[in-house]
Amino acid sequence: QLVESGGQLVQAGGSLRLSCTASRYAGYAVGWFREAPGKDREFVSALVWSGGSSVYADSAAGRFVISGDSAKNSVYLQMNRLTPEDTAMYYCAAVMQYIDDLQRDYEYNFWGQGTQVTVSS
């Protein structure tokens, strides 16, 4: 089970830190995805537990930072310089085994319920 938290209403230019906690071993990697009304779900960022490598979507690179605490089975997404285009439901997901493309949402095995991020202009 994955549980997200940290989403809220924030003004443009502000920051938020999302958290994702797994009830047990979180597997090979944890990713963050988002889905805005009327749009397809899109990849945001992912963290590989072993080695700590990370991947970012172009829209997140330079503004968002993903990090993890393996002792707490938790992954965090620090989001800075938020814009209204970042408004979406944010989901974390875990993939148990190696995959070569962390941006493919269909590869992930477990999903959280999501946390809403709303950025006002």
Side-chain angles (χ1 to χ4, degrees):
Q1 180 182 6
L2 299 172
V3 178
E4 304 97 333
S5 63
Q8 61 179 311
L9 173 65
V10 64
Q11 287 191 331
S15 298
L16 282 177
R17 187 189 192 218
L18 304 184
S19 299
C20 171
T21 299
S23 59
R24 56 179 184 174
Y25 172 64
Y28 169 71
V30 174
W32 284 97
F33 295 81
R34 67 187 183 185
E35 188 169 347
K39 295 185 178 180
D40 293 335
R41 183 165 57 195
E42 65 172 350
F43 171 79
V44 177
S45 182
L47 176 72
V48 177
W49 284 114
S50 179
S53 61
S54 57
V55 181
Y56 295 92
D58 289 345
S59 59
R63 298 188 301 130
F64 296 1
V65 178
I66 192 169
S67 62
D69 185 338
S70 58
K72 297 181 180 180
N73 281 341
S74 293
V75 172
Y76 309 100
L77 186 68
Q78 177 67 42
M79 305 189 297
N80 303 316
R81 303 198 306 276
L82 287 162
T83 74
E85 288 68 38
D86 295 313
T87 295
M89 184 71 79
Y90 283 71
Y91 299 91
C92 69
V95 56
M96 295 293 108
Q97 311 227 347
Y98 170 81
I99 57 174
D100 61 357
D101 186 351
L102 290 166
Q103 300 191 40
R104 294 196 293 243
D105 58 355
Y106 58 84
E107 298 270 23
Y108 287 75
N109 306 107
F110 301 101
W111 291 80
Q113 293 300 306
T115 185
Q116 177 68 39
V117 172
T118 303
V119 184
S120 63
S121 58

